[in-house]
């Protein structure tokens, strides 16, 4: 039996493919799975991506300078909450796509996932305010858009007959 917003659905079959993205079907069927770090069970932090527009891309700092500014951002006004800057891509028309917001949490707990969604959005607002106040080229920037949901990097991993290793991949 499957459940969705419209209620339960009964399905029969010999083989099912888990396309949930977090191993939910496999877990509900009793399959063995791993979750996060074997010792702490912590998963990789989730990411809220966003786009800032109104940027003077001719005068903005280099990527290296940007990372240094972010690392020191907790001492600025407003203080930067999320001091990590993974990467960004400069687009035409003064738009910059950011991957800079990381929020730790439990990817299979719906209440924690809601908390992480809200925190990611709060951190985006903080990041944009920080850019505007502290980084050259961003004086007139504004939030153009952000992802509809926080990006989950890691969740349940179904344990199979064999685990592909980096050495396996490299040997190909």
């Amino acid at each position: 039996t499957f459940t969705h917003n419209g209620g339960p659905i009964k399905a029969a079959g010999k083989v099912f493919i888990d396309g949930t993205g977090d191993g939910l079907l496999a877990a509900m069927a009793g399959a063995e799975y791993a979750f996060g770090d074997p010792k702490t069970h912590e998963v990789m932090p989730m990411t809220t991506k966003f786009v800032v527009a109104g940027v003077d891309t001719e005068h903005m700092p280099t990527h290296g300078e940007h990372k240094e500014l972010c690392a020191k951002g907790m001492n600025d006004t407003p203080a930067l909450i999320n001091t990590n800057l993974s990467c960004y891509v400069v687009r035409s028309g003064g738009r910059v796509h950011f991957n800079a917001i990381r929020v730790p949490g439990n990817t299979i707990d719906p209440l924690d996932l809601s908390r992480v969604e809200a925190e990611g959005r709060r951190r985006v607002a903080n990041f944009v305010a920080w850019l505007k106040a502290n980084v050259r080229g961003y004086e007139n920037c504004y939030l153009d858009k952000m992802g509809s949901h926080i990006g989950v990097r890691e969740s349940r991993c179904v344990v199979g007959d064999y685990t592909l290793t980096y050495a396996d991949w490299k040997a190909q």
Side-chain angles (χ1 to χ4, degrees):
T1 302
F2 298 93
T3 304
H4 64 83
N5 290 341
I9 299 173
K10 289 193 180 223
K14 292 181 182 178
V15 176
F16 290 89
I17 296 172
D18 188 333
T20 62
D22 66 1
L24 179 59
L25 177 63
M28 298 294 285
E32 183 183 353
Y33 66 88
F35 185 76
D37 181 271
K39 293 179 184 174
T40 65
H41 300 289
E42 291 179 5
V43 294
M44 293 176 68
M46 292 166 262
T47 300
T48 305
K49 291 187 174 187
F50 60 101
V51 178
V52 173
V55 179
D56 179 353
T57 56
E58 304 250 338
H59 295 97
M60 65 186 276
T62 66
H63 189 266
E65 291 170 327
H66 221 307
K67 286 182 84 79
E68 287 178 23
L69 289 168
C70 285
K72 298 173 187 173
M74 66 189 86
N75 300 319
D76 293 331
T77 303
L80 184 60
I81 297 170
N82 213 111
T83 57
N84 174 68
L85 174 63
S86 297
C87 59
Y88 64 85
V89 177
V90 178
R91 299 288 187 204
S92 62
R95 296 164 44 102
V96 181
H97 295 228
F98 279 94
N99 177 352
I101 305 300
R102 291 185 180 174
V103 185
N106 185 335
T107 59
I108 57 176
D109 177 341
L111 295 177
D112 200 43
L113 200 50
S114 291
R115 177 195 64 78
V116 169
E117 283 275 4
E119 179 63 17
R121 293 178 187 290
R122 184 177 83 84
R123 290 183 185 196
V124 167
N126 167 260
F127 201 95
V128 174
W130 173 80
L131 285 169
K132 192 171 186 132
N134 296 288
V135 182
R136 76 178 182 274
Y138 289 88
E139 295 86 354
N140 299 308
C141 78
Y142 57 91
L143 178 63
D144 186 43
K145 60 184 172 180
M146 75 173 90
S148 59
H149 294 288
I150 198 157
V152 174
R153 289 189 170 105
E154 182 180 19
S155 190
R156 292 182 194 95
C157 295
V158 177
V159 176
D161 294 334
Y162 183 79
T163 301
L164 187 68
T165 66
Y166 177 73
D168 295 331
W169 174 80
K170 192 154 172 108
Q172 295 300 317

